[in-house]
Amino acid sequence: MNASSIAISSTAERRDWLPWLLLALFAVLAVVAPWVSPYPPDLQLDITGLRSAAPSASHPFGTDSFSRDVLSRVLHGARNSLGFAFGAVVLSVLVGTSYGALTSFAPSALSAVMRRAIDVALSIPRLLVLLAFTAFLGPLPVWGLGLLVGLTGWFATARQVTDELDALQRREFALAAHAMGVRTPRLFQRHLLPHLAPILAVTGTFAVANTIALEAGLSYLGLGIQPPTASWGTILQDGAGSIESEWWITLFPGLATVGAVLLCNILGDALRDRFAPAHVAGVMPLWPGTVASTSPSDDQRLTRAPESSHRSASRT
């Protein structure tokens, strides 16, 4: 390998790490927002002198119509929006994984009914369900809205987990564990669940991106996180009626929302590309201490069959 190849590979590695660093920066800012924001997010600085002030040195993101510092609100909005999205996705992944495991291990008749239930749930647009519930229940606290979003977002995860467990149970290591008398709960916990980690990581990353955008949309419509709590969606709502004259109120939270969604999607693609080859081939442990199948897959045996037959014929 020459020097130019080494330089190209190192540049590619830096590009691969850049989305991780940027998303980590978002997360760090969200965690330390109360300590790094210049002002409290709901503090009205000067309702007459600083009302709708343009960006300046003292207020880099400007102020809104209530003389609140937009930079402080964007930082606290990151804390609320990202925390909301992460909590809702964790809940949906847990529920979806549990339901998918029960569906895969259930008796055939019950499993068929549970699979059809997933199909029915996936056929209903999630946004319509959320709009109906929020309109019927009225304004919800942040934790209540997180429960609603999490409990309506696990259907696709359940389908993926069910299909993957069906395939894993036909693999050699799972059949060997069955033959040795390993009980189903231990088989799932010790041998199958670690192999689901790549799929759950990819699904969860994409789900975080979707949930960030979903929260921003619901809050913009007045059905999500309620003012005066700062989230990227509520800040967008604050500046919705005066985009031409007070563009900074919508520009900066909009850029933060788009940037976080874009980074999560990029990381989801990177994780999918990282895990898919080894996961499909089944030749690499996906979790420390996991018993992974090291025997060739059916496709690999079929592709090597002619070569092995030729060698046998040559020896004879």
Side-chain angles (χ1 to χ4, degrees):
M1 182 179 293
N2 53 30
S4 60
S5 301
I6 296 175
I8 293 173
S9 62
S10 62
T11 303
E13 290 178 359
R14 285 196 296 269
R15 286 199 301 266
D16 291 339
W17 278 104
L18 182 60
W20 292 94
L21 293 177
L22 292 176
L23 192 59
L25 177 62
F26 271 92
V28 170
L29 289 177
V31 172
V32 302
W35 297 278
V36 300
S37 60
Y39 305 95
D42 301 329
L43 178 63
Q44 296 181 355
L45 302 174
D46 187 350
I47 196 62
T48 57
L50 290 176
R51 181 177 182 271
S52 300
S56 61
S58 57
H59 302 283
F61 288 6
T63 62
D64 62 9
S65 58
F66 296 98
S67 73
R68 297 174 298 190
D69 184 65
V70 176
L71 174 59
S72 302
R73 290 184 62 78
V74 169
L75 291 174
H76 284 267
R79 183 183 184 90
N80 293 323
S81 296
L82 296 180
F84 173 87
F86 182 78
V89 168
V90 168
L91 175 62
S92 65
V93 168
L94 290 176
V95 175
T97 302
S98 302
Y99 188 94
L102 292 175
T103 303
S104 180
F105 291 112
S108 57
L110 179 58
S111 178
V113 173
M114 297 176 73
R115 292 170 195 268
R116 297 295 79 78
I118 296 177
D119 294 337
V120 172
L122 288 174
S123 66
I124 303 174
R126 183 187 183 189
L127 182 59
L128 293 181
V129 175
L130 289 174
L131 291 177
F133 271 100
T134 52
F136 176 75
L137 297 175
L140 295 172
V142 176
W143 65 267
L145 186 64
L147 284 177
L148 180 60
V149 173
L151 293 176
T152 57
W154 56 269
F155 309 116
T157 302
R159 166 60 63 82
Q160 290 179 329
V161 170
T162 301
D163 294 341
E164 185 65 19
L165 285 177
D166 290 343
L168 286 173
Q169 290 186 78
R170 295 192 294 267
R171 297 273 291 275
E172 290 84 352
F173 71 94
L175 295 175
H178 274 299
M180 290 187 295
V182 176
R183 295 182 178 274
T184 299
R186 178 170 176 79
L187 174 67
F188 172 74
Q189 179 183 1
R190 175 64 177 170
H191 301 289
L192 300 182
L193 184 58
H195 285 77
L196 294 175
I199 291 178
L200 297 179
V202 173
T203 301
T205 305
F206 285 123
V208 169
N210 294 332
T211 307
I212 292 173
L214 183 62
E215 181 276 323
L218 290 174
S219 299
Y220 179 81
L221 295 174
L223 300 174
I225 297 177
Q226 297 298 308
T229 303
S231 75
W232 290 337
T234 57
I235 304 173
L236 289 172
Q237 185 191 36
D238 292 338
S242 57
I243 296 178
E244 295 182 358
S245 59
E246 302 171 4
W247 50 266
W248 55 89
I249 301 178
T250 55
L251 175 64
F252 296 111
L255 290 176
T257 303
V258 172
V261 171
L262 181 61
L263 287 174
C264 288
N265 284 323
I266 291 174
L267 291 182
D269 289 333
L271 289 174
R272 183 172 55 192
D273 295 339
R274 167 64 180 86
F275 288 127
H279 184 57
V280 172
V283 298
M284 171 181 160
L286 301 176
W287 196 267
T290 302
V291 179
S293 173
T294 55
S295 60
S297 63
D298 294 337
D299 294 337
Q300 291 171 322
R301 286 196 294 267
L302 289 175
T303 55
R304 287 202 294 263
E307 180 183 356
S308 59
S309 301
H310 176 71
R311 290 179 179 175
S312 300
S314 300
R315 286 195 299 268
T316 56

